[in-house]
Amino acid sequence: EVQLVESGGGLVQPGRSLRLSCAASGFTFDVYAMHWVRQAPGKGLEWVSGISWNSDNIAYADSVKGRFTISRDNAKNSLYLQMNSLRAEDMALYYCAKDAQGEQSFFDYWGQGTLVTVSS
Amino acid sequence: DIQMTQSPSSLSASVGDRVTITCQASQDISDYLNWYQHKPGKAPKLLIYDASNLETGVPSRFSGSGSGTYFTFTISSLQPEDIATYYCQQYDNLRLTFGGGTKVEIK
């Protein structure tokens, strides 16, 4: 059974940093691309960042480019999102999502999300 | 970035009704278009991939069609458990984007 478990969310002040993690199990992690998708309160889904199976291809939404860094550790079956210079508009539920392919395409499994609250 | 314009933003229909949602891309994305269902408090669920392919285990009342810039998603007979927000998503390039979502309610 595919499982994606996010962690690392919490309350953080504007301008500070936070690192999200996603622990994956139930599939061959190093074959598939992975993503972070978020949903701000009362808003729709927003793709944040994606990373290919071998980390060769990485992309970010304009809203986070230059502040967020996605990475993965295939030996640990883990995905990460380093979030720096956090803003109020980054407050959201952050989902880890598994891609159906090795390069960015669509999301066939999702975690339950970790909540990031940005407030002073 | 490729913009995805989804409509309507919300709709209300009766059980058994046929429901159609559209998604328009700002440029040609071939058939790189997927549809998700999102219920409150749950993780989103993939329903349709590559415009018209039904994900395994998804009821056949859900379908998708289209290519290029114009796509449609249809629920042939709306059921109470279909109450959710539905999103389209493109993957024509590495920077993926979602449509704004369509909230489906029962009349």
Side-chain angles (χ1 to χ4, degrees), chain A residues 8-20 38-41 64 67-68 81 83-94 114-120:
Chain A
L11 174 63
V12 62
Q13 293 178 328
R16 304 298 292 265
S17 300
L18 208 58
R19 189 193 195 209
L20 305 184
R38 69 185 181 184
Q39 184 175 36
V64 306
R67 299 187 298 121
F68 289 12
L81 186 68
M83 304 186 296
N84 298 332
S85 303
L86 281 161
R87 305 168 179 168
E89 54 264 36
D90 296 319
M91 185 163 66
L93 184 64
Y94 283 73
T114 186
L115 186 62
V116 173
T117 302
V118 182
S119 175
S120 54

Side-chain angles (χ1 to χ4, degrees), chain B residues 53-94:
Chain B
N53 295 288
L54 194 67
E55 173 71 343
T56 302
V58 172
S60 59
R61 64 180 180 275
F62 296 102
S63 65
S65 65
S67 67
T69 62
Y70 190 78
F71 302 86
T72 60
F73 171 81
T74 299
I75 307 173
S76 61
S77 177
L78 186 67
Q79 300 301 304
E81 60 266 32
D82 300 336
I83 300 314
T85 301
Y86 293 84
Y87 295 90
C88 61
Q89 173 252 322
Q90 68 78 25
Y91 69 100
D92 184 64
N93 57 32
L94 292 181

Side-chain angles (χ1 to χ4, degrees), chain B residues 1 5 18-19 21 26 28-29 32 39 46 48-49 52 55 57 59 63 66 83 89 91:
Chain B
D1 283 358
T5 303
R18 183 181 186 87
V19 169
I21 298 168
S26 60
D28 190 334
I29 59 169
Y32 301 138
K39 296 181 178 180
L46 175 68
I48 303 285
Y49 63 93
S52 61
E55 173 71 343
S63 65
I83 300 314
Q89 173 252 322
Y91 69 100

Side-chain angles (χ1 to χ4, degrees), chain A residues 35 37 39 44-45 47 59-60 62 65 95 104-107 110-112, chain B residues 1 34 36 38 41-44 46 49-50 87 89 91 94-96 98:
Chain A
H35 302 267
V37 177
Q39 184 175 36
L45 298 175
W47 173 81
Y60 300 95
D62 279 344
K65 195 168 186 179
Y95 292 102
Q104 279 88 316
S105 66
F106 53 91
F107 323 111
W110 300 64
Q112 291 300 311
Chain B
D1 283 358
N34 314 299
Y36 301 85
H38 193 198
K42 302 264 188 159
L46 175 68
Y49 63 93
D50 293 344
Y87 295 90
Q89 173 252 322
Y91 69 100
L94 292 181
R95 292 157 67 94
L96 314 183
F98 286 95

